[in-house]
Amino acid sequence: MCDDCGEHESKVLHLERQVLSKNSQLAEQNRLWFKKHSMRAINMMSSPGSGKTTLLEKTTQAFCSFGKMAILVGDLQTELDAERLRTVGARALQINTGQGCHLDAAMIAGHLGKFIAGDERLLMIENVGNLVCPSAYDLGEQHKVALLSVTEGEDKPLKYPALFHQADLIVITKMDLVAFVPWSQAKAMDAILKVNPRAKIIRLSAHSGEGMDEWLQWLKES
Amino acid sequence: MHELSLSVSLIEQATEILKQESGGRVLALTLDVGVLSGVSPEALQFCFPQAAHGTALEKCLLKINEIPLLVYCSDCQAEEQVEGPYPLCPSCQGVDVAVRKGREFNIVSMEIE
């Protein structure tokens, strides 16, 4: 009975429903599409400026001997990253999210069978640079990769546990700068172990090439 | 902060359920939000009324159950509740644990009329 007018009946529904179930359903459709086309989709997440685009530039050049690769790159504004990637020969498409702080499954689904033709071996998805929001949205990827640059500090996994907890692979980037910044490898390992003991870890510098072979091997086998 | 877009998804989901039940408005919503879900309960409480304005969820009471981490430790062979967001066994400090609870972002109940 309604407290205000004494007329309406109220009832309580007991549910167990994901708030993001629509995104999860679309993500599952994306995942099936990737499987049908024997394609690996990798969701790359990190803070802005940790080296995602630079790593993708180097990956484009190195991966071409293994098979076709496409890139979807998310940013709030500009085509800058997609242009950078196309300059080195990548097949890259920019997704502008406007004020959105993450990519979601619908933003990927809209490009399947179109820009993503289906004959690629690998789809790299560069998420919006952000250590919080991308962790809540499944895109249908097979693997999540988190990047952590040595210039950011080794405590980032502890500060943003939800994102680092989900990663199958954590790539420590900018290793060429490690001598110039107060980075403790031991502290970084402790931090990662605390939030995600199962993650594989690759130390890498896109500039010097350190770790690139291991990264490419992981991409091929992932 | 993505809780505004999460609020919009929450309202879409609740409105759909309301329609199926032929209800007029939602009086209260109860959610489970896990500590590792990537969702901030405070930010969600802040954003929800803005997103609900002008919908069937306007004036809806939002109740949030914060779900702590529950892990199964392979070494201790026991389920343990963990304080904080790090999946470590509180008894042996071991890292060989499986997360059983703490990732949810679910609607658990809705009061409608």
Side-chain angles (χ1 to χ4, degrees), chain A residues 16-25, chain B residues 13 105-107:
Chain A
E16 193 63 46
R17 202 173 299 195
Q18 282 181 34
V19 174
L20 294 176
S21 62
K22 204 171 272 180
N23 187 75
S24 302
Q25 284 162 13
Chain B
Q13 176 82 252
F105 181 36
N106 296 335
I107 303 177

Side-chain angles (χ1 to χ4, degrees), chain B residues 4-110:
Chain B
L4 189 59
S5 58
L6 294 176
S7 296
V8 172
S9 301
L10 172 60
I11 288 160
E12 283 174 0
Q13 176 82 252
T15 306
E16 216 164 272
I17 298 167
L18 185 70
K19 264 188 203 160
Q20 288 163 7
E21 297 289 328
S22 308
R25 63 180 182 132
V26 183
L27 305 175
L29 255 183
T30 307
L31 307 181
D32 278 354
V33 175
V35 69
L36 270 183
S37 65
V39 179
S40 155
E42 295 80 12
L44 197 62
Q45 285 287 12
F46 178 75
C47 293
F48 178 75
Q50 323 291 327
H53 186 73
T55 73
L57 281 84
E58 194 164 359
K59 296 183 184 166
C60 164
L61 178 69
L62 185 64
K63 298 178 205 166
I64 299 177
N65 303 322
E66 297 185 31
I67 307 297
L69 268 184
L70 184 73
V71 299
Y72 177 80
C73 174
S74 307
D75 295 331
C76 301
Q77 299 201 333
E79 273 192 351
E80 305 264 9
Q81 189 167 310
V82 180
E83 268 187 53
Y86 308 126
L88 300 172
C89 173
S91 299
C92 71
Q93 298 301 308
V95 297
D96 192 9
V97 299
V99 174
R100 294 266 167 96
K101 278 186 182 174
R103 293 191 185 118
E104 359 355 50
F105 181 36
N106 296 335
I107 303 177
V108 288
S109 73
M110 256 173 79

Side-chain angles (χ1 to χ4, degrees), chain A residues 145-163:
Chain A
V145 176
L147 275 67
L148 169 64
S149 63
V150 299
T151 53
E152 285 172 82
E154 58 284 280
D155 52 5
K156 284 290 180 293
L158 296 176
K159 291 178 175 172
Y160 301 93
L163 190 141

Side-chain angles (χ1 to χ4, degrees), chain A residues 60 75 95 146 207 211:
Chain A
T60 297
D75 278 303
I95 300 173
H207 285 293

